[in-house]
Amino acid sequence: MLEVRDIHFSYSEPLLKGVSFDVHQGELLAIVGPNGAGKSTLLKIILGMLRPASGNVTLEGESIAKMSRRKLARFIGYVPQATDVRFPLTAMEYVLQGRFAQGRILGFESDGDVEEVRRAMELTDSTDFACRLVSELSGGERQRVMLARALASRPRLLALDEPVANLDIAHQLKMFDLARRLTSTGEMGAIVVTHELNLAAEFATRVLMLKAGEVRAIGRPSEVMDEKTINDVFDADVLIDKNPVTGAPRITLLATAQEDCSLSRS
Amino acid sequence: MTARTDKIKTLRERVTSKRVVTTLIIMFALLILIAIISVATGSERIGFQTIVKIIAAKITGQPIDIAPEQQVIITDIRLPRVLMAIVVGAALSVAGAAYQALLRNPLADPYVLGVSTGAAVGAIAATIFAESISIGRPLAAFLGAVLTIATVILLGQSRRHAPTERLILAGIITNTFLSSVVIFLMTSASGLRLQSVFSWLIGDLGSNARLLPVVSVFIVLGIVIIYFNSRSLNLMMTGEEEALALGVEVRRVKAMVYIASSLITGAAVSVSGVIGFVGLVIPHAVRLSAGSDNRMVVPASALAGAIFLLIADTIARTVIAPRELHVGVVTAFVGAPVFVYLLRRAS
């Protein structure tokens, strides 16, 4: 469904050097990699916010460069890392924004739009706070509302940018579980940029490892998440075994001896 | 908690076309009522019936047997002034609402950002150097407004985001600088011209009736353009990237709305001088009672701003009669405390 082909991008230095991959319906692709690897830039290119220097992104065979903003918005539901709402706005009004690309540029939401919003809020279990202000929601509640807004347009592809960065462990688990359930029906695919390797190993159907603007590995978690690859990508010593309950790769960080740079004289 | 949630629920129900239309009709009726009261108010007492007759006669062109002095007071003095207060109040409020949405900052307003002063510089320059061209003043004011908002945005940008304080600071700096330019231009002007510039600058709604049709066209056009983009502005209020991802042509909307709000600010300033805080107080009050949806906020601010400035101007011309206060004094008395309140709440 989503085809990313040989994407190059640079600001002052090259940031992405020939990235290619596919995402299919029903798939949850986790993009992992160290800070500065180009994950967010890659996501912005897929969302049409940045134009690649070369390469092409196509959705169901159509190049996104030729799509209108509204058409692209109907295709991809985007969940940003955080939202900063400075005006009084209820959760429901916020989720209704997700219907913008379906309606007219100037107009009011129809009953059909409200129905879609209700459905999206039920899917994310956020109906209870529909009438509360977004600025007054907790981190977990807000994340669910953001996801509901992305779902309100019934997208084919979900793009989540570090969706659990601000969440406690229980909400992290819920968020990934929800993303997995949404994609497993086969109606949509999802891309999740994340730092949570264990959650990616558990919930993603495939993992893409990005380092210095290049794809170092892509495949099922059990195929690509080994000690050597992770050490190579993250420059961190890890121990990998199997989660005794689920069988997914389990990544444990190893504390290695750090060079002593304390000021105390020994 | 439940009580609070219920309160929010009733306060901020989803905005529907029916709700917008009902609200606007009520506000419009209120505006007409206040306008009639305002026309009737003044040192020369003229009854409501007489006013209605005079206005009807003026529209239909029929002669009537009412004292010509009264007719002149109504049609040439009070009515133009009332209409001027209405269009200027609407313009400044909508410009404020638009800047607030675009800059995602509840403190933004044409006065605080220095845009009004920028328009004033343009208008004064036109008055001094090209007085004979009647449309020159609004055009020069528009140019001044556009250049000022561009400068303020440039100065207020930080590498990552544009925090509230930085933008407001950029506005204050620009405003201070432009005020000096105004003083410089006024010292280089002389005599009669100086006096006319001076009385215009501090907000005189009575002295530019001949420009009323031109600026009304500009202002109505600008408000329509902003209203057309109001749904897009709703999305941009939560962030430009998010709006982009949700299908808004962010760059086009920004360009259109910046130009339109500068157009209406320039038009308003060119006939009324610098009137502060209208664009700050009114959209805030509207949001407080009707929520943040710009499809409601933009037209309701236009009407509420018209009502507000009309009342302010009526107070200004009657409270110390036979002398007149400048309307900017009245709006500042209301606006400055609101600004302080908003600033304290924002930080």
Side-chain angles (χ1 to χ4, degrees):
Chain A
M1 172 193 51
L2 174 77
E3 291 178 8
V4 178
R5 287 289 170 272
D6 200 26
I7 294 291
H8 288 261
F9 183 85
S10 37
Y11 281 119
S12 49
E13 285 167 36
L15 215 69
L16 294 173
K17 306 163 192 163
V19 174
S20 301
F21 64 93
D22 292 343
V23 180
H24 306 287
Q25 303 281 30
E27 243 194 345
L28 179 68
L29 177 78
I31 300 181
V32 301
N35 294 331
K39 303 185 296 290
S40 297
T41 309
L42 183 58
L43 201 63
K44 282 181 183 170
I45 287 173
I46 294 167
L47 286 160
M49 291 174 187
L50 294 173
R51 238 170 231 285
S54 69
N56 202 6
V57 180
T58 58
L59 275 163
E60 303 196 335
E62 193 175 345
S63 167
I64 65 158
K66 290 183 185 120
M67 282 189 202
S68 70
R69 280 267 149 241
R70 293 164 65 77
K71 186 164 185 189
L72 194 57
R74 287 195 289 265
F75 247 115
I76 308 182
Y78 169 56
V79 181
Q81 213 177 105
T83 195
D84 172 24
V85 179
R86 299 179 199 173
F87 294 88
L89 198 69
T90 63
M92 183 179 178
E93 287 175 321
Y94 187 84
V95 179
L96 271 168
Q97 294 188 342
R99 299 294 297 170
F100 177 78
Q102 263 80 6
R104 281 167 297 160
I105 286 187
L106 179 64
F108 292 87
E109 291 83 1
S110 66
D111 291 343
D113 288 329
V114 177
E115 190 49 41
E116 284 296 328
V117 163
R118 198 185 54 78
R119 185 193 68 95
M121 294 189 89
E122 271 169 13
L123 276 175
T124 59
D125 198 16
S126 55
T127 325
D128 286 350
F129 34 89
C131 295
R132 277 170 54 200
L133 296 183
V134 176
S135 52
E136 289 172 357
L137 298 178
S138 73
E141 291 169 338
R142 202 178 297 189
Q143 207 74 29
R144 265 138 72 198
V145 170
M146 285 156 68
L147 182 58
R149 183 177 71 173
L151 291 171
S153 64
R154 284 189 187 260
R156 312 284 257 287
L157 182 74
L158 269 181
L160 299 99
D161 190 6
E162 299 196 26
V164 299
N166 304 310
L167 301 183
D168 62 48
I169 49 172
H171 282 104
Q172 290 187 356
L173 198 64
K174 271 188 192 161
M175 186 50 103
F176 265 91
D177 185 51
L178 186 57
R180 185 72 204 101
R181 274 191 289 131
L182 288 169
T183 50
S184 61
T185 59
E187 282 171 32
M188 61 178 109
I191 300 176
V192 183
V193 169
T194 186
H195 282 299
E196 296 298 325
L197 295 179
N198 277 308
L199 289 167
E202 201 68 55
F203 290 100
T205 50
R206 283 194 303 154
V207 176
L208 185 158
M209 297 206 206
L210 200 66
K211 188 189 185 183
E214 288 171 21
V215 177
R216 288 297 168 92
I218 181 166
R220 290 217 302 275
S222 55
E223 295 166 358
V224 293
M225 297 182 100
D226 55 57
E227 284 166 10
K228 191 176 168 302
T229 314
I230 289 187
N231 183 290
D232 167 47
V233 171
F234 288 94
D235 286 322
D237 281 332
V238 292
L239 171 79
I240 293 184
D241 54 4
K242 272 189 180 176
N243 181 323
V245 180
T246 63
R250 180 171 67 177
I251 299 102
T252 311
L253 271 172
L254 295 179
T256 46
Q258 298 288 316
E259 273 179 55
D260 186 11
C261 60
S262 64
L263 293 173
S264 62
R265 242 178 275 164
S266 55
Chain B
M1 192 64 216
T2 329
R4 194 191 162 95
T5 314
D6 286 348
K7 190 177 159 227
I8 289 166
K9 193 171 180 174
T10 49
L11 263 178
R12 310 186 203 287
E13 270 179 286
R14 184 168 66 96
V15 170
T16 57
S17 55
K18 198 178 144 198
R19 200 171 138 219
V20 172
V21 170
T22 319
T23 311
L24 295 184
I25 288 174
I26 294 169
M27 289 179 82
F28 189 74
L30 196 64
L31 174 64
I32 298 292
L33 182 72
I34 293 170
I36 294 172
I37 294 172
S38 177
V39 172
T41 310
S43 52
E44 174 85 15
R45 289 199 156 275
I46 304 173
F48 287 112
Q49 276 188 334
T50 321
I51 291 166
V52 174
K53 269 185 205 158
I54 292 171
I55 294 170
K58 175 85 179 171
I59 293 166
T60 56
Q62 300 287 323
I64 39 162
D65 55 345
I66 291 172
E69 314 86 78
Q70 289 201 338
Q71 289 192 42
V72 169
I73 288 173
I74 298 300
T75 60
D76 291 2
I77 298 171
R78 289 194 197 159
L79 199 57
R81 182 158 180 163
V82 162
L83 291 174
M84 196 67 97
I86 289 173
V87 288
V88 169
L92 295 175
S93 303
V94 172
Y99 286 135
Q100 284 152 24
L102 281 175
L103 296 163
R104 312 208 304 125
N105 189 334
L107 290 172
D109 134 89
Y111 181 66
V112 175
L113 291 173
V115 180
S116 290
T117 315
V121 170
I124 294 171
T127 310
I128 294 175
F129 302 116
E131 203 179 14
S132 52
I133 314 160
S134 72
I135 202 169
R137 202 199 270 181
L139 279 183
F142 166 57
L143 226 73
V146 171
L147 290 177
T148 309
I149 190 68
T151 311
V152 171
I153 291 168
L154 217 67
L155 288 176
Q157 256 172 359
S158 67
R159 206 179 296 166
R160 307 190 82 225
H161 304 286
T164 310
E165 295 77 14
R166 196 184 164 102
L167 187 79
I168 298 304
L169 213 58
I172 291 168
I173 292 164
T174 314
N175 207 352
T176 312
F177 171 73
L178 291 170
S179 300
S180 309
V181 177
V182 167
I183 293 169
F184 171 77
L185 284 172
M186 286 178 66
T187 15
S188 57
S190 56
L192 260 178
R193 228 173 238 178
L194 178 66
Q195 193 156 31
S196 92
V197 168
F198 183 73
S199 80
W200 158 81
L201 181 69
I202 42 182
D204 183 352
L205 289 165
S207 55
N208 285 293
R210 74 194 163 84
L211 280 173
L212 182 62
V214 182
V215 300
S216 301
V217 170
F218 279 180
I219 288 169
V220 170
L221 183 71
I223 292 176
V224 168
I225 293 174
I226 293 168
Y227 184 69
F228 183 76
N229 287 293
S230 58
R231 195 174 176 199
S232 307
L233 285 175
N234 283 348
L235 276 68
M236 287 171 64
M237 272 167 50
T238 52
E240 287 183 17
E241 272 193 356
E242 293 176 54
L244 208 60
L246 289 165
V248 179
E249 296 278 1
V250 170
R251 214 183 279 175
R252 197 170 68 198
V253 172
K254 266 170 94 171
M256 280 171 83
V257 175
Y258 271 129
I259 288 173
S261 22
S262 306
L263 181 73
I264 60 180
T265 306
V269 168
S270 71
V271 288
S272 68
V274 178
I275 298 173
F277 300 112
V278 180
L280 183 84
V281 175
I282 297 302
H284 177 69
V286 170
R287 271 191 216 102
L288 217 55
S289 51
S292 304
D293 195 316
N294 286 300
R295 290 170 294 188
M296 175 70 100
V297 172
V298 168
S301 292
L303 290 173
I307 292 171
F308 175 67
L309 199 63
L310 185 54
I311 294 174
D313 188 52
T314 311
I315 293 172
R317 68 185 165 84
T318 51
V319 74
I320 53 163
R323 288 171 63 212
E324 277 191 13
L325 262 180
H326 285 285
V327 65
V329 175
V330 181
T331 60
F333 265 81
V334 183
V338 176
F339 181 81
V340 173
Y341 162 74
L342 285 175
L343 187 66
R344 289 186 66 99
R345 215 184 49 166
S347 53

